[in-house]
Amino acid sequence: MCEILGMSANVPTDIVFSFTGLIRRGGETGPHRDGWGIAFYEDKGLRLFHDPEESSRSKIAAFLQSYPIRSEIVVSHIRKANRGKVALKNTHPFVRELWGRNWVFAHNGQLKGIKKVKFDSFEPVGTTDSEAAFCWLLGKLRRKFSTPPAQPALIKEIQKLFAELAERGVANILMSDSNLLFTHCSNRLVHITRRAPFGKAQLLDADVTVDFQKATTEKDVVTILATRPLTGNENWIHYKSGEYRVWRDGETVSTNLKA
């Protein structure tokens, strides 16, 4: 299974610490050798990096570790190929434009039959079930809403579409429109929200420790999402099967869990 990494923050924040842990799992501490990618939002703009090489040996990944990019929403992915060959066109996250916004999508799991559906407005470039699912989902959104809908209607519709995808198999998903971070868990997704008072964190996959108190203010809120916990000295919260959460500025703005 692939692994995903996401961030939602209320101030532009770099993700180097978490990214350092993730990329070690791409061929060094984990089997995800089949490419990787990361997307950083800057307002509606998007910085996007893909590489079909294993992330632990990627020169592009090494560059990003030495050149921190600050963003409020980040989506990243390391791949273990099961559907679709190892190729640049099959690396996540995938990107499409809808309603004048760059939408980003990363997924792990398998979705039966999704590549056989009839696509509306959006066509896959590669051969993964993940990209096919993304194209199907955006096509459904465009058909239902000819113009950008109000936020509550958009959140509700995406929840419905994520649930439909989950009926086809495993749908652990991170998706963003540059404004919100939409997330769904079938079986593996965790998160941690860091806020004042900040402390130290130690990566599980690398001998790296950071003291967040030295790089933050008391108003900062940063949520990290991952397939598995990235640190060993913090309390990560596990999503429940079928859980849907929408994040903005590091906080949950919508969830299907009852209070």
Side-chain angles (χ1 to χ4, degrees), residues 68-86:
I69 296 173
R70 293 184 175 273
S71 175
E72 294 175 11
I73 298 178
V74 178
V75 175
S76 185
H77 182 279
I78 53 174
R79 184 171 183 241
K80 188 176 187 299
N82 49 57
R83 296 187 180 181
K85 66 180 182 179
V86 178

Side-chain angles (χ1 to χ4, degrees), residues 23-156:
I23 64 173
R24 295 295 187 277
R25 297 176 179 178
E28 187 173 306
T29 63
H32 310 83
R33 294 182 169 89
D34 302 323
W36 66 277
I38 190 167
F40 304 85
Y41 279 104
E42 294 180 19
D43 192 17
K44 291 184 180 181
L46 190 70
R47 294 181 187 265
L48 185 65
F49 300 86
H50 286 130
D51 192 349
E53 300 296 326
E54 57 188 79
S55 56
S56 62
R57 298 184 179 182
S58 169
K59 292 182 179 180
I60 300 174
F63 164 74
L64 291 175
Q65 287 180 276
S66 64
Y67 183 74
I69 296 173
R70 293 184 175 273
S71 175
E72 294 175 11
I73 298 178
V74 178
V75 175
S76 185
H77 182 279
I78 53 174
R79 184 171 183 241
K80 188 176 187 299
N82 49 57
R83 296 187 180 181
K85 66 180 182 179
V86 178
L88 185 61
K89 65 182 179 181
N90 287 331
T91 59
H92 306 222
F94 302 104
V95 180
R96 296 290 189 281
E97 178 276 330
L98 175 63
W99 304 318
R101 289 183 176 270
N102 286 307
W103 288 69
V104 168
F105 181 94
H107 160 253
N108 69 34
Q110 296 184 8
L111 301 170
K112 296 179 180 179
I114 192 66
K115 292 195 286 185
K116 297 179 181 179
V117 303
K118 182 178 180 181
F119 296 104
D120 184 4
S121 303
F122 300 89
E123 293 281 345
V125 174
T127 55
T128 65
D129 54 347
S130 301
E131 187 186 16
F134 184 37
C135 290
W136 171 84
L137 190 153
L138 289 188
K140 289 287 188 180
L141 287 178
R142 173 169 281 177
R143 176 175 286 271
K144 185 173 181 64
F145 304 111
S146 58
T147 58
Q151 182 172 298
L154 179 63
I155 289 173
K156 183 178 179 180

Side-chain angles (χ1 to χ4, degrees), residues 210-242:
V210 66
D211 186 350
F212 288 112
Q213 188 173 5
K214 295 180 179 180
T216 56
T217 73
E218 62 179 16
K219 296 181 179 180
D220 293 1
V221 180
V222 180
T223 292
I224 301 294
L225 304 103
T227 301
R228 296 181 290 133
L230 292 163
T231 59
N233 65 325
E234 297 180 293
N235 294 320
W236 292 73
I237 299 172
H238 290 256
Y239 272 60
K240 296 178 180 178
S241 178

